[in-house]
Amino acid sequence: MRSVGTLTRADLAETVNRKMGFSRSESLDLVEAVLGHVCEALRKGENVKISGFGSFVLRDKKERIGRNPKTGVEVPITPRRVLTFRASQLLKDRIARA
Amino acid sequence: MIRSELLQALAKDNPELRAEEIEQVVDIFFDEIAKRLADGGRVELRGFGAFSTRERAPREGRNPRTGETVSVPAKRVPYFKPGKEMRKLLND
């Protein structure tokens, strides 16, 4: 196991091309379109839930005081929105037992 | 947004495609990611983020209902780190 490489957009597009017969450029456009719609929903502040895969959940963090670990100087960490991923039970099971 | 809404949005942008084709593309997208993670690999989608897996050591857990001690075996769990551009997108 372990020695498999990193999957990228190009690999996803290749699978779409191979399994569905769309041209390489059409396949890449479709992969980008899926990702683009997910990004757009998140940008608008919507969580994204893909059944069987997982949820992309936005969290709003309040301002808090941080510290520069090198100098020890306290600096405020500004309030921000962060993205977290909660894998579905199905995905967790698939990964845990592999 | 849920999966069906994603399908609708894609259908609107791609009127030349059949609904089943759009569904297949979306299934391939998420299945391939899941497959690679299950195979121990990682997935990197520049601008969006990267999926990987992390090892969890075995531990002694407890059944919260009975209080009974159970041993939880070592396992791998999925992990996602948002990309720089995504962090920026969410905070602009």
Side-chain angles (χ1 to χ4, degrees):
Chain A
M1 193 168 67
R2 213 58 27 151
S3 59
V4 290
T6 300
L7 188 85
T8 63
R9 283 173 168 75
D11 300 311
L12 292 171
E14 197 188 305
T15 307
V16 170
N17 162 264
R18 185 165 42 82
K19 289 195 170 171
M20 304 197 57
F22 295 132
S23 75
R24 283 176 185 278
S25 80
E26 280 172 325
S27 299
L28 194 55
D29 287 349
L30 285 168
V31 167
E32 288 294 354
V34 173
L35 209 48
H37 280 294
V38 172
C39 283
E40 179 56 16
L42 294 169
R43 192 192 59 78
K44 287 191 293 188
E46 284 179 43
N47 291 340
V48 175
K49 184 173 180 172
I50 307 295
S51 55
F53 184 76
S55 302
F56 295 96
V57 180
L58 296 166
R59 302 196 58 177
D60 288 312
K61 305 287 238 183
K62 283 188 290 202
E63 180 176 80
R64 63 195 167 91
I65 301 301
R67 199 183 278 276
N68 179 326
K70 209 168 277 179
T71 63
V73 178
E74 284 191 351
V75 284
I77 296 174
T78 53
R80 64 193 61 203
R81 179 169 281 176
V82 297
L83 175 61
T84 62
F85 174 66
R86 287 193 45 127
S88 72
Q89 194 57 49
L90 201 75
L91 181 60
K92 284 184 193 168
D93 289 345
R94 244 175 119 172
I95 289 170
R97 91 180 122 72
Chain B
M1 170 184 260
I2 59 173
R3 186 175 167 281
S4 60
E5 292 165 334
L6 173 61
L7 296 177
Q8 277 169 24
L10 288 163
K12 211 171 156 197
D13 291 352
N14 299 275
E16 73 285 6
L17 299 185
R18 287 181 288 122
E20 308 87 71
E21 292 177 317
I22 287 170
E23 196 153 7
Q24 249 181 297
V25 169
V26 169
D27 284 347
I28 289 172
F29 187 97
F30 292 104
D31 276 354
E32 289 296 307
I33 295 174
K35 238 188 265 172
R36 184 57 57 105
L37 293 175
D39 289 345
R42 63 193 300 277
V43 180
E44 196 174 306
L45 301 170
R46 282 283 157 83
F48 184 76
F51 297 89
S52 58
T53 58
R54 298 193 159 185
E55 303 284 343
R56 289 279 176 269
R59 61 188 172 85
E60 293 300 307
R62 217 172 259 284
N63 180 329
R65 194 169 304 182
T66 63
E68 204 181 339
T69 307
V70 288
S71 64
V72 181
K75 63 179 172 189
R76 280 188 312 129
V77 297
Y79 176 75
F80 173 74
K81 185 177 177 1
K84 261 190 203 131
E85 283 148 63
M86 172 56 77
R87 278 180 277 164
K88 197 162 171 295
L89 180 78
L90 300 177
N91 289 285
D92 274 351

